[in-house]
Amino acid sequence: MSTDRPAGETAPEQEAAPGTTDARSPGEDAGAQGADVVAPDADAAAGADSGDPVAGTAGAPAAEQGAGPEAGTETAAGVSVDGDGAPGADGDEPAPDSSAPQAAETSGAAPPAESSGPAAGGASSGPATATAAAPTADQASGSAAGTGTTADVSDDGARADGGEPAPNTTAPHSAETSGTPPRTATPAPSGNSGPAAATAAALAAAVRAVESGERSAASFFAEAPHRTAPAAPAAKQPAPVGGPAPEVARQRAASGSAAPSRPAAAPGDGAPAAPASAPRPVVATVPGVDGVRQILAAGGAPEALAEKAAEALGERAAEALAADPWQLLGVPGVRPEQADGFARALLGAACGPADERRAQALVGWLLEQAAVAGHSALEASALRAALAQRAVPDPDDALQTAIADGAVLVFQDAIDTPGRARPAADDEEAEQPVRILLGLDRFAMAEESVADGLARLLNTFEAAGAERDAADAAGAGDDGTADETAAEPGATDGADDVSGAPAAPDARQEDDGAGYRRPRPSAADWAAAAAAAPSPSAAELIRAAAGSGLVAHTGAEAARAEPAALIAAARALGLRAFGATHSENGRRRLAAHLTEAAPDTGAADPGAAAVTVADLLSGQQGPGRDTDGALALDLLVVLDAPQLDLETAALLIESLTDGTRLVLSGDPGVLWSAGPGRLFADLLAARFCPQVASRTPDSGPIGELVSGIGIGELNQVEAPGKEVVIVPVRDAGEAVHRTVQLVADSVPRALGVPAEQTRVITVGHGGAAGTRALNTALKERLNPGPGRFGGFDPGDHVAYTPAPGRTLPGKVTGADAAGLRLDCDGGTVVVPREQVGAGAVRHGWALTAHQAAGMRWPAAVVVLPGDAAGGLTRAWVYTAFSRGERHLSVVQGVDQALPRAVAEVPVKERTTRLRTLLQTQSVQAAADAAAAG
């Protein structure tokens, strides 16, 4: 198995652009590499124009080109879940899969049936068992709303640019659910004949009837038989990685809600024991990493995996692998075929595809890979199909076992049918059809934490209004008028040089109990701030933030000045206001807007209020945390909100105290986060909070071109200053040659933009014109060298990935015993040698669109070779084309596939639950308000 990439990095065969020699099927060698492409000579490309490409005229990217391949749309509603990296390590976008199986749904209602359990260690020839099983008597009810789109899962693993799943032919649905999850049944021995097989068939048919809407979900779950024996205590659920579980627990304790319950099977609970698995060989191991190396060597796996395995599986990793070799799938970068080979070496003849341990490991692995593709949950039918593709003989049985063991959680998502009226709340007979979603614990908890946290901020906020103004007037002088100094916005709320905390608290401040008195500007203060705003959209945003604890703001690059105006106004009113961006590049642009928007008061640098999300959470930037561990903020504006993944968003929102204002701002047209979820899109779709849409358009030819793409039109634009240039190419080799010519010669000569300020953006890492081939050619031309520091030389542009989904562009300055030294936007970063060797640093003249999201450069060159057509969507094109500030060159080799993708393939859909969770919160809040009177 291949060990030449770090944890969280997509395997080479996953990164290949569709149709290239790098694209591989799951059965091929996981470590195989595609042929690298070096820079051609100046005249190497046959028929290449020796003229200056920038001197050409601007036009529509597909203008006057011959009909290209019929690409740009999906042939199946499949989702690639066979990647082997954590989301966003490279920002790859998965290539569409045309071979995803469509799971057939069984129609017809079936009576309630006795539960049927899994067959351990063998395949059953009887009917498939149900995916969602009957409830246990002792399960607690909890929130179980789910949402998302239908996602039939394939696992061929082809990836083109990373993180965004393949499109789905089913539009996302939002619906209210019953609030309780489908409950799981007690596993029972399965057989291939007799009553057990009939029971399994009936239960499977009943579940499918519920999914199709032919039968009431409530009646099915209510009529299912209960266990008669005492239930085992529920296992303690671990907190999500990086997630703020304590606050979630406090909120659930207060509200009486709970996470979806997961029954834990235990000896003596009344359930018949399952048949024993195949004999497991005894492998003597020694403690620690040495024991892991020993067991890996015994199974023929590279010993270099030992440290990763110990980190992923814990201190008893060696014993775990000896007892269950398929736990190797829990190590980042390991694929199923590699784990199968490891198991065969350890188990010998006892190893087989029907082994229950293999099926359970595959269930978890497939859900992890679905998260790589952006899903927070999957439909049961999609997971069944993926297991069948992996030669699991009884996928229903495997899913039922995973549910009973608590390895996955079950949710039901009501399906909205066009033209069908939503049933009334008291109409039990007209219940909507539902579909069953399965998900991992940490993503489910993160999604629920985000929904609860957003509701908390919205519901605990108290807006300034007439009552506040009346109270201020009551405390005024004998003449009944307020003191003029206090009435002037910000006059009594002085700010320090960083946090904006008030220097002289007055009656319009509230003590938070920890010594800090939060300013409470009046409605008149906010009205005055809005009147002084630089644009109507900025004024609207200020008014919205004055009246709500949660606001969504949408707009493109020019609209970033509006959140900056809000931050400046809030700081002038004495509030601790900050803006957080996805990247350091974005932070510098926000700091420039803040400097322009801040009043000329002689105070400290207003750009200090601009931070990155990662550095705000780590404490390296921003106001730090208060005595309770919460961020010391009164107002937080998060720009680049579409790039927020679920776990980061959960941690950020849980770090905000009650009453804090949160504004989520971003461009809805760009690619979603490299990690699971689509937080910003779900928030907008749920209509959960006030929304402000900017009316400030991006100017210039690039802005005009990108605005048209946003509405599905690829227009020809006038570019008298060569702002947009189209460079047609015939093949990938010519695309690489013309790209190097543009970066090194044409753009610097014609526009005065040096090569170091130009970035190349392409669809994927693999392929003849992917980032690897382009970076090889660009290094040879711009900074040739032997690569003496782990393949890098001083002056090399690189992309460093310190964590999945986060890319830091930088330049190599040297290396020493501590590691590789980088200059990342003015800050020094030292990458340890082991991370360099593991591939955390790549050459960075060329990036993928996900890596480039949230950043802009003076010039951008977008490369679209012919084999990239299948990976294109409107969101990808919108993101890539909007990365250039002054100039955009498009190296066009996909012909008509480009305008077709812009017009017909908006995004690659994701299955998520957040939209429905937010809608459920809204319904509950409305009901509470009605009850209160």
Side-chain angles (χ1 to χ4, degrees), residues 271-521:
S277 300
R280 303 177 182 179
V282 177
V283 180
T285 58
V286 297
V289 178
D290 290 338
V292 180
R293 291 194 181 95
Q294 178 184 349
I295 192 70
L296 290 174
E303 295 184 18
L305 284 176
E307 293 185 359
K308 290 183 183 179
E311 181 179 355
L313 304 178
E315 59 183 10
R316 301 181 65 85
E319 292 89 338
L321 288 172
D324 182 358
W326 283 282
Q327 287 199 32
L328 191 66
L329 274 177
V331 180
V334 176
R335 293 170 52 80
E337 51 267 30
Q338 297 167 334
D340 286 342
F342 177 70
R344 280 194 297 271
L346 290 183
L347 302 179
C351 175
D355 195 302
E356 179 184 345
R357 296 167 292 178
R358 178 179 185 268
Q360 296 310 299
L362 281 173
V363 169
W365 184 84
L366 286 168
L367 287 172
E368 289 284 358
Q369 299 313 306
V372 173
H375 304 280
S376 62
L378 282 180
E379 284 195 74
S381 59
L383 200 49
R384 281 197 298 265
L387 288 170
Q389 242 183 359
R390 286 289 175 184
V392 174
D394 193 342
D396 283 317
D397 192 49
L399 289 180
Q400 190 176 26
T401 301
I403 294 168
D405 290 345
V408 298
L409 302 182
V410 188
F411 312 96
Q412 54 179 322
D413 179 25
I415 301 174
D416 282 330
T417 303
R420 175 178 177 177
R422 180 185 295 273
D426 57 350
D427 190 358
E428 297 180 358
E429 299 299 326
E431 186 172 330
Q432 285 183 291
V434 300
R435 59 180 176 180
I436 304 301
L437 298 179
L438 303 179
L440 294 176
D441 179 275
R442 78 175 195 268
F443 300 132
M445 292 189 69
E447 218 156 16
E448 292 179 4
S449 176
V450 168
D452 292 344
L454 293 177
R456 173 176 59 86
L457 294 176
L458 195 62
N459 296 331
T460 60
F461 175 78
E462 295 182 7
E467 295 83 359
R468 178 80 49 76
D469 293 342
D472 292 341
D478 295 339
D479 59 355
T481 60
D483 180 75
E484 292 183 2
T485 303
E488 183 179 351
T492 60
D493 297 334
D496 61 24
D497 58 342
V498 175
S499 68
D506 64 8
R508 291 180 296 152
Q509 296 174 336
E510 58 180 349
D511 195 332
D512 67 351
Y516 168 69
R517 294 178 62 84
R518 173 180 290 171
R520 302 183 69 176

Side-chain angles (χ1 to χ4, degrees), residues 823-839:
D823 177 4
C824 296
D825 284 314
T828 300
V829 176
V830 179
V831 184
R833 288 188 172 187
E834 57 270 19
Q835 290 190 28
V836 176

Side-chain angles (χ1 to χ4, degrees), residues 658-688:
D658 294 354
T660 301
R661 291 176 170 90
L662 174 63
V663 177
L664 295 176
S665 174
D667 188 341
V670 301
L671 290 169
W672 294 329
S673 64
R678 50 176 189 184
L679 181 147
F680 195 55
D682 282 339
L683 177 64
L684 295 175
R687 298 282 179 182
F688 186 68

